[in-house]
Amino acid sequence: MTKDLIPAHGDLPEPLDLTVPEEARDDFLAEASRLKKVPVSDADLSTVYRFGDGALSPLTGPMDREVYDRVLEEEVIEYNGRLYAWTIPLAFPVTAELAKQLSPGEKVALVNSRGEIVATLELTDVFPWDKRKYLTRVYLTERFDHPGGDMVLKADGDKDYLIGGKIQVLPQPKHPRFGKYVLRPREVRELIRQKGWERVVAFQTRNPLHRAHEYALVYGLETLLRQGYNAGACLNPLIGETKGDDVPADVRMRTYEALIEQRALGDGDSDPALWGPRGESVPDRVILVGLDIKMFYAGPKEAVMHAIYRQNFGFTDIIIGRKHADAPYHDGTPIWGDFDAQEIFKRLRGDLKIKPLCVGFAAYYESVGRVDLMENHPNEKPVSISGKEIRAALREGRPVDPRIMRESTARILAEAMAQK
């Protein structure tokens, strides 16, 4: 490992690699076909693959009860005698009927919703799932009327047991449209080495970008450059299982591609005094990498998990903005405070090398003719437009205010809505 690359979580020089080599694929499938089949939901399938490629290092598979409960109680895992931050426990749900047929020490085949083998799991534990404890500890609320509650009590409503063990995983099939952007952690680390960047800040999103969203990435990159680092940024959208009302991943990826290819990212909102002397603009220092992970909509706890993934990919910093990984109760009231996801990093009980790069609210201000942090304009009213207004304009084919959203993003979203 080059000295300037951040270690993987667990102080590993490189992320683990638990994928089946191509030359062993036939033998692996022949053995797995004789094993008991355990189905994995589409939502959990990405977690299987992230165990495989090392994005969940230093874990070697889903957690047993002891590790699972310690995460709920203490927000840590222990590895090689040291404590590391970990805030959402990961194990695979099964029905009570299937759980009765499984025993620690047994090897099973994990299959997707089409019955295809995706991995094998050497079971270390089969244990009851205390769903209420899980929900109250992860979501920090006694209420269950939120997306996380729906996932556990409805989507997994018939599954009352969890399984843990050591996993071996087949490589994830490449999506025909955007698979080229979904890289393994070791591949992203090699890309960072090729760029020669000392610091790389990841910007996570599950939405098409408004200019205020863009500004968070611009702010993070410019912060590192001003500190004197040879720095880059990664536009790192989630493309795994998300809520039904989120914009589909293939549509979102087209909007991100356009922002970079048309060099619109940061246009008008970046600092010319910083970029001018460099002969560069923001897109010159941005890479686009999709991340296929399950979305928990767990606010502060999920922000830490998002940081762990990014450390394993080699990023040194992650932008944490307002309402990171947020979703409200079903009645629209907030579960957490606007900046709770930033505060949680101040009280971690285990090691985490990646740093949160905290960003406040941003908006377009006529006084400066660009997007800026609201804290810099305490007595000014920004240009504002609601998400509801944007969706209405897109549906009706009306232009969206370019001070709010880039023309290329609005056009792609409008076309997708018209086709739908």
Side-chain angles (χ1 to χ4, degrees), residues 154 263 290-291 384:
K154 295 179 182 177
R263 305 187 67 76
L291 181 56
S384 64

Side-chain angles (χ1 to χ4, degrees), residues 13-30:
E14 287 285 306
L16 299 175
D17 184 355
L18 306 174
T19 50
V20 178
E22 185 56 39
E23 63 271 16
R25 184 185 184 94
D26 290 345
D27 290 341
F28 174 85
L29 284 170

Side-chain angles (χ1 to χ4, degrees), residues 9-293:
H9 203 41
D11 283 321
L12 295 167
E14 287 285 306
L16 299 175
D17 184 355
L18 306 174
T19 50
V20 178
E22 185 56 39
E23 63 271 16
R25 184 185 184 94
D26 290 345
D27 290 341
F28 174 85
L29 284 170
E31 180 199 10
S33 65
R34 296 189 293 268
L35 300 175
K36 197 173 294 175
K37 307 297 190 292
V38 174
V40 176
S41 69
D42 290 341
D44 286 323
L45 190 58
S46 58
T47 303
V48 173
Y49 289 124
R50 299 297 73 78
F51 281 129
D53 65 19
L56 286 165
S57 295
L59 296 186
T60 56
M63 297 173 173
D64 60 23
R65 182 186 338 216
E66 182 180 354
V67 176
Y68 190 96
D69 285 345
R70 189 168 191 183
V71 171
L72 287 182
E73 300 285 350
E74 302 176 42
E75 301 176 350
V76 296
I77 58 171
E78 187 172 340
Y79 185 74
N80 285 343
R82 291 192 60 199
L83 296 181
Y84 294 90
W86 205 283
T87 47
I88 299 179
L90 299 172
F92 296 137
V94 296
T95 63
E97 181 182 3
L98 181 54
K100 292 175 186 175
Q101 304 170 39
L102 303 176
S103 304
E106 178 182 8
K107 184 182 278 191
V108 299
L110 302 182
V111 298
N112 62 21
S113 58
R114 296 184 299 278
E116 300 164 335
I117 294 168
V118 295
T120 59
L121 184 66
E122 188 177 330
L123 294 171
T124 56
D125 208 352
V126 181
F127 56 102
W129 188 7
D130 187 338
K131 293 182 176 180
R132 291 183 175 272
K133 180 179 179 181
Y134 169 85
L135 287 170
T136 54
R137 295 296 171 88
V138 170
Y139 292 88
L140 305 171
T141 173
E142 298 289 334
R143 289 174 59 174
F144 305 137
D145 58 322
H146 51 76
D150 291 344
M151 285 190 283
V152 172
L153 301 177
K154 295 179 182 177
D156 285 330
D158 62 337
K159 298 169 184 171
D160 295 319
Y161 281 78
L162 297 169
I163 55 174
K166 296 187 176 181
I167 204 165
Q168 266 197 304
V169 186
L170 288 171
Q172 183 171 14
K174 287 281 189 182
H175 189 283
R177 173 63 184 88
F178 52 75
K180 64 182 179 181
Y181 295 111
V182 182
L183 305 178
R184 299 165 62 81
R186 293 189 181 199
E187 292 174 325
V188 175
R189 285 171 167 263
E190 184 55 35
L191 178 59
I192 293 170
R193 289 188 180 100
Q194 292 170 7
K195 295 284 188 182
W197 291 335
E198 302 166 284
R199 299 278 289 272
V200 188
V201 60
F203 176 69
Q204 132 111 27
T205 182
R206 68 176 194 265
N207 298 303
L209 299 186
H210 301 170
R211 283 179 67 175
H213 294 151
E214 280 181 43
Y215 187 72
L217 182 149
V218 173
Y219 174 88
L221 177 57
E222 292 186 342
T223 296
L224 296 181
L225 290 173
R226 288 194 183 97
Q227 291 173 358
Y229 293 104
N230 178 14
C234 179
L235 177 51
N236 199 204
L238 297 192
I239 59 171
E241 185 88 357
T242 55
K243 291 194 283 87
D245 57 349
D246 284 348
V247 176
D250 61 329
V251 176
R252 288 189 287 112
M253 292 302 286
R254 292 208 302 275
T255 69
Y256 307 141
E257 284 176 325
L259 283 174
I260 295 174
E261 290 171 0
Q262 298 177 20
R263 305 187 67 76
L265 187 63
D267 183 35
D269 298 328
S270 53
D271 182 0
L274 177 68
W275 293 98
R278 295 174 176 273
E280 295 180 312
S281 63
V282 172
D284 294 313
R285 289 183 173 267
V286 176
I287 56 175
L288 174 60
V289 177
L291 181 56
D292 183 7
I293 60 175

